[in-house]
Amino acid sequence: TASPDNPAVDCSDDLINAGCASCYKDGSCSCIPGYTQQGTGCAKATEPELMTFYMYRAQNDEDYPLDNNNAASLEGVVWYVHNEVVRLSCPRHYNITRIKRFKITMKNTPELFAERSSQFGPFVAMDKASCTVPDCSSLWDKYGYITGCQKQTSGTGQYYGPKTIWYSLVGACPEMPFDKKTDQCKKEHPGGQCSSPDGSKTCTWKYEAAGEINLDELEGIDDYAKFCSDGNREYVPETDKGVNCDFWDGLQDPEANAKRVKAAAALFEKKFPDMPLNTPTPLCDW
């Protein structure tokens, strides 16, 4: 742990990829979920781990359940907003207004770990609360209703670092859209959401709401409607900067991106001081 003689330092990408959560001046580190302490470093767990950490979603003002949806790490959601949402500002793409945070507890199945020695399964894209990947059912039959992940470290996602991750959370009747989920379908295909994840095929994850932040407040915009009517823009891809808004300037600037992620974390801490600032993000090991 950190001390006056051994202060915390930033972890390099190599140490992050080796399972380090917090790094210290003497070269030691503490470990992320899915890794165990081994000397001054970390080693991959030898079985499915019960892991608790935060996931995030960018949403409009409508509320809906998290099951059969995709979520992200903090880096992943800030990159998503930067890359897909504010580039179409006034209005924002999908009318996104906020970033919601969720406390996730998950444990994937031994069937998955036996094949890949991984804590996560494959990511599946969800739309309208339905899996859009061909032959989703083969995944559920083989591994159970597993939580999946995908590194977003190609394209512009690479400039947000190795913790830029998207997740998939499988709920009941995952192959039908939300308006066609019958009681019979939910009974036959219960999904992985449960009250106490144990790694069985139908009990792999649960979530709790853990606060939200408003994009206007994050960016320093007092009145979004007036901001737009005055001809301003949050971010213009062609110039790689905003108009009377500099929060998103520099999509390919790793230092600026790190500051944006820290600003979002700081706003969560300000608004929810009784909750942990952040929980270490597990590696996407699929």
Side-chain angles (χ1 to χ4, degrees):
T1 59
S3 69
D5 295 328
N6 189 32
V9 297
D10 289 337
C11 293
S12 67
D13 286 357
D14 286 343
L15 287 174
I16 291 171
N17 287 324
C20 289
S22 300
C23 299
Y24 307 101
K25 184 180 179 180
D26 66 0
S28 64
C29 71
S30 59
C31 304
I32 60 174
Y35 280 71
T36 57
Q37 204 74 43
Q38 184 170 297
T40 59
C42 303
K44 288 191 70 172
T46 57
E47 60 184 2
E49 290 279 298
L50 184 68
M51 305 189 296
T52 299
F53 58 101
Y54 288 141
M55 290 185 189
Y56 302 80
R57 269 191 65 84
Q59 286 189 201
N60 57 23
D61 290 333
E62 184 179 353
D63 287 315
Y64 44 82
L66 190 59
D67 51 306
N68 292 319
N69 262 303
N70 297 127
S73 63
L74 186 57
E75 289 84 355
V77 77
V78 175
W79 169 69
Y80 170 78
V81 172
H82 197 174
N83 192 58
E84 297 193 32
V85 175
V86 297
R87 64 188 296 131
L88 298 173
S89 61
C90 294
R92 298 184 184 109
H93 199 30
Y94 302 124
N95 293 311
I96 297 295
T97 58
R98 55 188 174 152
I99 295 174
K100 298 191 70 173
R101 183 175 66 178
F102 303 93
K103 180 182 176 183
I104 303 294
T105 301
M106 63 158 282
K107 183 178 183 179
N108 270 337
T109 63
E111 289 84 354
L112 172 69
F113 195 87
E115 181 168 312
R116 290 285 298 258
S117 296
S118 61
Q119 299 296 333
F120 287 96
F123 173 86
V124 296
M126 298 284 190
D127 185 41
K128 297 180 180 178
S130 173
C131 177
T132 62
V133 176
D135 201 20
C136 292
S137 60
S138 65
L139 288 175
W140 322 144
D141 292 343
K142 186 175 185 180
Y143 301 125
Y145 296 102
I146 51 175
T147 299
C149 73
Q150 184 181 73
K151 299 176 186 177
Q152 300 295 323
T153 49
S154 61
T156 58
Q158 66 184 295
Y159 302 109
Y160 271 88
K163 293 189 286 186
T164 308
I165 302 168
W166 287 1
Y167 305 103
S168 50
L169 296 158
V170 186
C173 193
E175 295 183 69
M176 298 299 292
F178 62 86
D179 57 346
K180 294 183 178 180
K181 295 183 189 295
T182 65
D183 290 341
Q184 184 65 27
C185 179
K186 293 176 183 179
K187 181 179 179 180
E188 293 177 356
H189 308 283
Q193 186 180 1
C194 58
S195 60
S196 184
D198 59 11
S200 60
K201 284 191 170 184
T202 58
C203 187
T204 55
W205 68 280
K206 71 173 184 178
Y207 78 94
E208 305 167 55
E212 64 181 63
I213 58 174
N214 183 275
L215 289 183
D216 292 353
E217 186 176 0
L218 178 64
E219 299 169 22
I221 297 174
D222 294 327
D223 184 331
Y224 189 70
K226 186 176 188 306
F227 173 86
C228 291
S229 65
D230 287 346
N232 301 313
R233 292 283 299 278
E234 291 160 275
Y235 179 71
V236 180
E238 292 75 15
T239 61
D240 196 30
K241 60 183 181 180
V243 178
N244 289 322
C245 176
D246 61 6
F247 184 84
W248 300 104
D249 290 5
L251 177 57
Q252 298 184 27
D253 184 338
E255 184 177 343
N257 291 335
K259 289 180 179 178
R260 283 183 268 271
V261 173
K262 288 180 179 178
L267 187 53
F268 271 110
E269 183 179 30
K270 176 184 176 182
K271 294 177 70 68
F272 306 99
D274 295 333
M275 294 184 180
L277 169 62
N278 206 353
T279 52
T281 301
L283 286 179
C284 178
D285 56 1
W286 179 262

